[in-house]
Amino acid sequence: MTELRVDRERLVETASRMIGVHSFTGDEQAMAELMVELYEELGLSVQWQQVEDGRANVLGILAGAGGGSSLMFNGHMDTSYSGREPWLRGVPGFQPQAFERDGRLYGLGISNMKGALACYVEAVRALRDAGVALRGDLLVAAVCGEIEKTQQGEAQGAQYRGYAAGTRYLVSHGGVADMCLLGEPTEGKVVLGHFGALWLRIRAHGNFIHTAFSEGRRGENSILRMREVLAAVEEWIPTWEDDPANAYRGAKAIVNVGAIAGGFGWRVSRTPHHTDLFLDVRVPPTKPMAAARREVLDMVRGLASRFSEYGIEGEVYVTAPGAEIDEGHELVRAIDEAHAEVFGAPPGRDVTRWFSDASALTRYGIPTVNYGTSTGLMDVELGENLEIDGLVKTAETYARVAVKACGAA
């Protein structure tokens, strides 16, 4: 293979520019504009997709000579945090300003997943610098709205529209390829599959009572009723997690009690008329979401029978399926070979319980692999970061994958 060289300083500069653009979910437009600038510098044809006001996808296409498979690099522009959260304001690695320390690059979004977006850009640059022409098209998709969040209750608006909102728009507006590499942080392992997510709201009703008249009526308080319901849910959780039907490639399912809401902090002289409990139920990619929905709602019906006076209700409000790819797929082979050439040994395998845009891509007939650099485990004092040497090697690996998957003209 033609020697492919990654320019370390150029890669760091690109990643730093990306960090410097605020792109919290719902506010990705400025980041999309930067991606257009970078794509045009590379000579890519650019497709702008206005998903909604203030947010867009950008697709850059390096057209092939023909006769080869097309490959998409896909990465989300939205960051997990805004950096404005009270508990993050004083942590520099969670701010949109890049800095280097001890061979690592710090800054908001670098690990999830602006580092991967920078690697995609540098991979194309390396191909261009080496004069490599591909047979198949190479697509670089920068998308909005991937982070695990959704509109619920009073939480409405673009900042809550995640869970593959951008990629679902992408694939229905021309952004398709024969296969896709998603550079989510995987510690350099090939993720052959990941779990999906089902979010469930369980509601317990109670009476709206003034404190002055609540004596002897604590049993009608929906918050206190929910304490009993929560205990029953905790009894149910192991039955989901330990069910062999919910395991996948040796990984168990998992359930998280993610939130509880009830009452009025500004008016605690009243008991709330209802209290809600929110669960995140992880579902293996081999289980249809309709089946998972039926099973969790059967559990809710059991609660309603057990606590017949509490008016128990259940609502499923997120169904984000998992994704998987066959071990023998050509993209997996291409990543194995390229990784071994760059890192000196083949990559490991992993199954994750986090969500990715592979969910939407695979359901549009695009086999997708999650493969990227480290997770950038958070430094308690400094925040989000990635090892620069890891970024350099990952960018070279991506360039090699493109040649193997698309073919050299």
Side-chain angles (χ1 to χ4, degrees), residues 146-286:
E146 186 271 353
I147 301 298
E148 292 179 277
K149 59 179 66 174
T150 194
Q151 298 181 124
Q152 197 282 325
E154 295 180 358
Q156 300 292 319
Q159 64 180 327
Y160 301 107
R161 288 195 279 272
Y163 263 128
T167 288
R168 285 197 302 271
Y169 193 98
L170 173 79
V171 295
S172 61
H173 291 80
V176 295
D178 291 310
M179 63 196 89
C180 177
L181 188 155
L182 253 175
E184 292 281 2
T186 68
E187 302 290 347
K189 297 178 182 179
V190 172
V191 173
L192 295 173
H194 68 71
F195 281 68
L198 179 151
W199 287 4
L200 172 68
R201 176 183 60 81
I202 300 173
R203 173 166 290 180
H205 287 269
N207 285 325
F208 189 70
I209 306 170
H210 190 292
T211 301
F213 308 107
S214 65
E215 185 176 1
R217 302 181 66 181
R218 285 202 177 95
E220 300 173 35
N221 186 314
S222 66
I223 295 175
L224 300 181
R225 286 178 169 182
M226 184 56 78
R227 181 176 57 186
E228 299 175 55
V229 175
L230 176 56
V233 169
E234 288 184 276
E235 294 172 4
W236 168 81
I237 287 175
T239 68
W240 181 271
E241 294 181 340
D242 297 336
D243 186 345
N246 292 334
Y248 178 72
R249 294 182 182 265
K252 292 172 57 175
I254 195 165
V255 179
N256 183 47
V257 178
I260 191 165
F264 318 97
W266 53 272
R267 198 182 194 189
V268 292
S269 59
R270 302 293 189 276
T271 58
H273 54 291
H274 64 251
T275 296
D276 290 328
L277 177 71
F278 299 88
L279 302 182
D280 180 0
V281 180
R282 295 290 150 152
V283 181
T286 48

Side-chain angles (χ1 to χ4, degrees), residues 93 97 311 337 362 386:
Q97 185 172 353
E337 293 173 5
T362 57
L386 283 179

Side-chain angles (χ1 to χ4, degrees), residues 195 251 309 325:
F195 281 68
E309 297 181 359
I325 189 170

Side-chain angles (χ1 to χ4, degrees), residues 67 76 87 89 96 124 156 231 250 298 332 343 345 373 385 393 400:
H76 62 86
W87 60 93
R89 288 175 188 160
V124 176
Q156 300 292 319
D298 281 344
V332 176
F343 288 89
T373 185
N385 64 89
K393 290 182 178 180
R400 290 174 177 268

